[in-house]
Amino acid sequence: MDFMNFGASVTGTKHIKNGLPNQDAYLFKNFDDGVQVMALSDGHGGSKHIYSDVGAMHAVNVAVEAVKAYFEAKSTVYTLSALKMDFEERLSIEIQTRWLNKIMQEPLFETPIQYGCTLLLAVKTSEFIIFLQIGDGKIAMVYEDGVIYYPVHRDTRYEGNVTASMVQEEAWLEMKVKVLPLECSLHMVVLASDGVENAYPNGYYDDAEFYANLAKDNNLADDLMEHLENAAHFSKDDTTAVLWKNPQNQLLADEGDSLKIWIDNCPEDWVPLTYLITGELHKRLEMSIKFVDYLDAQNDELFVGTTLKSFYYDQSEKKLQLIPDTSKEKLSFFRIKKMMALILRFQIECSNRNELKRTLIQLQQNLRYDQRKKAFVIDSDKLLLPIVSLEGANGQFELFYDSEIYLHQIMPLSSSYNPLIGKIVQHPKLKGVWGMVNYTNHTWEVYGNKYECIAPGKTMTLRSQMTAFINSIPIHICIQFQ
């Protein structure tokens, strides 16, 4: 059973005023065996993304081409777990690679940033429906009872006009994937550019009204453009929607029914692992060690279809978590090493999990911050790198990016009382600046180039040849190059 295809796009008044083209693109395709695909891409616009309309056109084309090639090559029976794993890894990487190859062949190509865009993708088979998204815009499903379901989690990292993008070096990690059984009660699926959601600025899910109105309209072939023009009137942006409607069911919700919205929620302290491994090397190593710890606790058994995108980092418990699935499988060490390489961006040669963890810890201990490159690097004789150390009454201790400082490191102890007194942190914006957070209940006095008082909870900037009095005990900070 094929869904009915509808799509339309309105150029925003801001773009018309500035003589700019519509930077949204969309595409439908129906393949054999009941496979249907629709894709939508929103070019970022602005002076940095001068060819984003071209980038958007290539994004929808390569996404559909990658899906077509995948199903033509696939010979096994599709399962939810297999589709999830393939789309979260192989298809995500394939789409990013194909897109980069296309834009690099453009005659005016200088940098991928010129072609920046988002991507929304929906794939329907005879049994499943698959979604992939990078960047803003919305995917919405409307069921015949009127419930509106948003299958892709909201990304709270970005604000305003900033969003995830196809131009990111690790764009495939930013691609969120959701695979669901195809239910006969599904009435409509909509992909919409941010021109729709920006027309409803008071709440993130206020645009549910737009999807409800589409679902109630039985003449979308004629009316879809009018719906989009109404939204574009408020957003002033290019406004695009592509959708499927199920011809075999009817919307049972009445005109006066209140909106019913369904959203999957994760615990507030859980952060997707993929958000953390797109950062610097020290964070990827930290997450790699936590990943191996998780495998150790599970005896290498994970839920079928688990990928890196299945994991969340519990910030309160300081460990990885996995949203439960139905069944587990034993991971081969080959698969473990492959997932580890995806986190680190390089291979580690080892023969078992214990050796892998020892290697990761050694790499973490060899991390140094290269002031010239403004990045973490693995310690090397060829580099002039700083070694930061703390010297107290109990000896000298080298400090790393995540060192936790305990009382025993600044004074000899005669009892088991050994509280955490500080932690080394990196400045969130000035990457070469480091500090030590005051975890005590006392104000620290700092002497060096200037006198400072560091209140509890505040951060002491680390400078060479400075002395800080912690609990009235002097400690010296020394920064020297090896």
Side-chain angles (χ1 to χ4, degrees):
M1 178 266 298
D2 285 345
F3 286 168
M4 298 169 61
N5 298 325
F6 300 92
S9 184
V10 173
T11 304
T13 55
K14 290 187 297 186
H15 287 185
I16 294 173
K17 182 179 178 180
N18 295 322
L20 297 174
N22 188 324
Q23 291 163 334
D24 291 352
Y26 67 90
L27 185 64
F28 295 103
K29 286 291 182 180
N30 292 2
F31 301 130
D32 295 335
D33 300 323
V35 176
Q36 290 182 265
V37 185
M38 62 177 175
L40 185 155
S41 178
D42 181 352
H44 297 330
S47 57
K48 290 195 303 183
H49 312 289
I50 189 171
Y51 306 124
S52 64
D53 57 323
V54 178
M57 176 196 68
H58 284 311
V60 297
N61 283 323
V62 301
V64 172
E65 289 168 4
V67 171
K68 182 175 185 290
Y70 170 76
F71 281 100
E72 285 179 346
K74 192 84 170 172
S75 58
T76 59
V77 176
Y78 307 120
T79 65
L80 189 149
S81 297
L83 287 170
K84 177 178 177 292
M85 179 180 289
D86 286 343
F87 272 77
E88 287 188 340
E89 288 187 357
R90 189 179 357 155
L91 262 293
S92 294
I93 294 171
E94 179 73 10
I95 289 170
Q96 180 184 2
T97 303
R98 285 174 179 253
W99 183 79
L100 286 171
N101 287 339
K102 284 290 185 183
I103 64 169
M104 290 173 68
Q105 294 172 23
E106 286 291 325
L108 299 176
F109 175 85
E110 293 179 2
T111 170
I113 293 174
Q114 297 171 299
Y115 299 84
C117 60
T118 66
L119 177 64
L120 306 177
L121 175 69
V123 181
K124 182 193 78 68
T125 74
S126 58
E127 297 181 81
F128 302 103
I129 191 158
I130 308 151
F131 300 108
L132 180 149
Q133 177 170 355
I134 178 171
D136 53 22
K138 291 279 182 63
I139 300 175
M141 307 170 73
V142 184
Y143 290 83
E144 59 183 359
D145 60 0
V147 170
I148 298 167
Y149 173 46
Y150 294 89
V152 177
H153 289 168
R154 177 184 182 184
D155 191 338
T156 57
R157 292 174 298 165
Y158 301 104
E159 295 180 356
N161 294 325
V162 181
T163 186
S165 172
M166 289 289 291
V167 304
Q168 290 174 242
E169 184 178 353
E170 292 124 350
W172 76 271
L173 278 173
E174 295 278 356
M175 295 177 186
K176 302 180 182 68
V177 172
K178 187 80 171 187
V179 184
L180 299 166
L182 181 62
E183 300 179 62
C184 59
S185 60
L186 179 61
H187 180 68
M188 186 177 75
V189 177
V190 186
L191 311 182
S193 68
D194 67 348
V196 171
E197 63 180 318
N198 291 341
Y200 299 84
N202 295 325
Y204 188 75
Y205 296 108
D206 284 357
D207 58 356
E209 179 184 343
F210 177 83
Y211 308 118
N213 290 335
L214 293 185
K216 294 169 185 174
D217 193 327
N218 293 317
N219 190 30
L220 280 177
D222 297 324
D223 297 345
L224 180 56
M225 184 65 78
E226 183 179 348
H227 287 286
L228 292 170
E229 287 172 346
N230 289 338
H233 174 75
F234 294 98
S235 69
K236 314 297 183 188
D237 194 7
D238 296 340
T239 305
T240 305
V242 293
L243 61 100
W244 288 324
K245 258 200 169 181
N246 185 345
Q248 296 190 1
N249 67 23
Q250 295 293 320
L251 190 69
L252 304 178
D254 294 328
E255 188 70 31
D257 285 354
S258 59
L259 290 174
K260 294 170 283 188
I261 300 173
W262 176 29
I263 306 157
D264 286 336
N265 288 318
C266 281
E268 194 170 301
D269 287 336
W270 287 24
V271 178
L273 175 63
T274 52
Y275 292 3
L276 302 174
I277 61 175
T278 53
E280 295 188 62
L281 178 58
H282 68 294
K283 181 57 69 174
R284 300 202 300 272
L285 274 169
E286 179 184 349
M287 290 300 115
S288 297
I289 292 170
K290 292 184 184 299
F291 179 72
V292 174
D293 287 340
Y294 184 93
L295 293 177
D296 188 30
Q298 302 298 320
N299 194 27
D300 291 347
E301 289 189 352
L302 293 182
F303 298 109
V304 176
T306 296
T307 70
L308 296 178
K309 296 181 183 181
S310 308
F311 285 91
Y312 292 80
Y313 180 60
D314 185 341
Q315 297 179 100
S316 60
E317 297 292 331
K318 307 296 184 187
K319 63 181 182 181
L320 291 183
Q321 304 280 9
L322 193 61
I323 294 180
D325 205 331
T326 52
S327 56
K328 289 189 174 185
E329 63 179 350
K330 189 86 169 180
L331 287 191
S332 67
F333 189 64
F334 175 81
R335 172 69 179 156
I336 292 172
K337 286 177 63 177
K338 180 180 178 181
M339 295 176 78
M340 188 61 56
L342 290 175
I343 296 176
L344 293 172
R345 320 293 188 266
F346 57 81
Q347 295 275 2
I348 291 181
E349 294 304 322
C350 52
S351 57
N352 58 64
R353 182 161 35 77
N354 290 334
E355 185 182 350
L356 173 61
K357 184 170 181 179
R358 286 195 300 271
T359 304
L360 289 170
I361 292 173
Q362 186 62 54
L363 288 172
Q364 189 180 49
Q365 291 174 348
N366 290 343
L367 273 181
R368 296 291 186 275
Y369 190 81
D370 188 337
Q371 293 283 356
R372 292 165 297 185
K373 293 184 177 181
K374 299 300 180 188
F376 283 95
V377 296
I378 303 297
D379 195 358
S380 167
D381 293 338
K382 298 178 182 179
L383 295 171
L384 189 64
L385 301 173
I387 296 177
V388 183
S389 60
L390 171 155
E391 185 176 355
N394 214 24
Q396 187 169 358
F397 299 88
E398 188 174 349
L399 302 179
F400 299 95
Y401 77 94
D402 66 343
S403 295
E404 293 181 332
I405 312 302
Y406 288 86
L407 187 59
H408 78 270
Q409 291 170 280
I410 66 171
M411 63 176 290
L413 300 181
S414 59
S415 70
S416 60
Y417 179 68
N418 188 26
L420 178 68
I421 61 173
K423 180 178 173 63
I424 304 302
V425 294
Q426 183 184 28
H427 194 287
K429 295 181 179 178
L430 304 175
K431 299 300 185 182
V433 177
W434 295 85
M436 179 171 161
V437 182
N438 181 355
Y439 282 175
T440 71
N441 296 321
H442 309 285
T443 297
W444 298 349
E445 291 186 275
V446 181
Y447 297 87
N449 293 336
K450 61 179 180 177
Y451 172 77
E452 295 179 276
C453 290
I454 310 298
K458 299 299 182 180
T459 302
M460 171 180 71
T461 301
L462 299 182
R463 301 181 182 91
S464 190
Q465 307 306 321
M466 64 183 287
T467 300
F469 284 82
I470 299 177
N471 293 13
S472 300
I473 302 167
I475 66 163
H476 303 282
I477 300 296
C478 179
I479 302 176
Q480 60 186 117
F481 287 87
Q482 60 178 14

